[in-house]
Amino acid sequence: DKKYRLPQVVVYSLTKEQLQKNVAKRKDRFHADPLLLKMGLNAVIPKEYSRSGYDQGHMAPSADFAWSQEANDETFVMSNMAPQKPNLNRDAWKRLEEKIRRWGCGEKRVVVLTGPILEAKLATLKSGLPIPNQFFKIVIDDTPPRKAIGFIYNQSDKGDLLKKRIVNFEELKQKIDIDFESNVPQKDRAIFKRAVLLSEWKEDDCG
């Protein structure tokens, strides 16, 4: 988003085959997005977060890309980041990411959409970068019979809040202007009108 200088949405697929591979080492080499720099846009740089009290919070997590060193390195591009408090990034949000990897392994293939909820009058870091109050995740089971589930987490969250942070897709539509329905075939879009229980998701540990 050119105004907020944060990602609107990050979308990727996660498969059991990928999760069974663990070849990448996390190098933590945060860097400005070379594509944005090439376009002459005001790309975020790592030092904008310095001494801010906020983490450079991954939208697509590094651990989801352990199957490839190149892919893992690319998750550290700053256009994949948004300011997150440590308790959220390292605890509540991390727990959600770990659960989604278990679903990816159990369901064989999921599509994940993640982003900050961008709204007016957000507080900012000293660098001027906006601090989102909330973040969303949408997980789509991409193997029939398809299903989907959505979450909204708060910047102040910590601990295991998985059950409490489930939201329906009508509420999500009011919060975000993202065409998430296009990520499934037309015939399957009714999944966004159905409430899904956590117990419906198959879990496995790919190691």
Side-chain angles (χ1 to χ4, degrees):
D1 187 284
K2 293 179 183 178
K3 176 183 176 182
Y4 291 95
R5 300 173 65 228
L6 295 173
Q8 293 178 339
V9 61
V10 174
V11 186
Y12 64 97
S13 61
L14 191 60
T15 69
K16 181 173 184 176
E17 290 74 21
Q18 290 172 335
L19 288 163
Q20 287 173 330
K21 298 178 183 177
N22 189 5
V23 299
K25 293 183 179 180
R26 178 174 171 141
K27 298 179 180 179
D28 283 4
R29 292 177 181 167
F30 295 91
H31 57 281
D33 189 328
L35 296 178
L36 297 183
L37 294 173
K38 187 175 181 179
M39 294 167 65
L41 296 176
N42 187 15
V44 177
I45 57 176
K47 72 177 183 179
E48 294 188 50
Y49 285 76
S50 296
R51 299 177 183 175
S52 68
Y54 286 84
D55 288 352
Q56 297 166 122
H58 280 68
M59 297 296 96
S62 164
D64 286 10
F65 295 83
W67 50 271
S68 161
Q69 187 65 60
E70 181 181 4
N72 190 275
D73 291 346
E74 288 181 356
T75 68
F76 289 89
V77 71
M78 294 304 296
S79 56
N80 184 41
M81 306 297 158
Q84 290 186 326
K85 287 186 177 179
N87 279 335
L88 175 64
N89 183 42
R90 306 174 199 179
D91 187 5
W93 194 247
K94 182 180 179 181
R95 290 171 189 257
L96 175 59
E97 293 170 340
E98 289 170 347
K99 179 65 74 172
I100 291 170
R101 283 192 287 277
R102 292 186 63 85
W103 290 344
C105 190
E107 298 289 358
K108 306 296 191 293
R109 176 185 166 92
V110 296
V111 175
V112 186
L113 297 83
T114 306
I117 293 178
L118 304 177
E119 52 194 344
K121 299 181 180 179
L122 291 174
T124 67
L125 304 181
K126 289 183 179 179
S127 65
L129 193 66
I131 303 168
N133 294 317
Q134 296 179 308
F135 297 84
F136 71 89
K137 270 191 187 290
I138 297 170
V139 189
I140 301 168
D141 173 13
D142 204 32
T143 54
R146 290 181 172 87
K147 57 184 173 290
I149 193 166
F151 302 88
I152 291 178
Y153 274 65
N154 302 318
Q155 188 69 261
S156 58
D157 282 346
K158 61 180 179 180
D160 185 2
L161 298 172
L162 198 70
K163 293 180 182 178
K164 294 181 179 179
R165 293 295 176 259
I166 298 171
V167 294
N168 64 55
F169 286 97
E170 287 304 314
E171 183 178 348
L172 264 173
K173 282 182 179 179
Q174 294 174 12
K175 291 267 190 179
I176 60 173
D177 185 23
I178 302 295
D179 180 20
F180 50 80
E181 294 179 341
S182 64
N183 286 275
V184 299
Q186 179 77 38
K187 64 182 178 64
D188 290 326
R189 292 182 187 175
I191 63 174
F192 297 111
K193 299 185 183 298
R194 185 172 74 86
V196 175
L197 301 174
L198 290 175
S199 59
E200 293 182 52
W201 290 83
K202 297 177 184 176
E203 289 188 40
D204 203 354
D205 184 1
C206 282

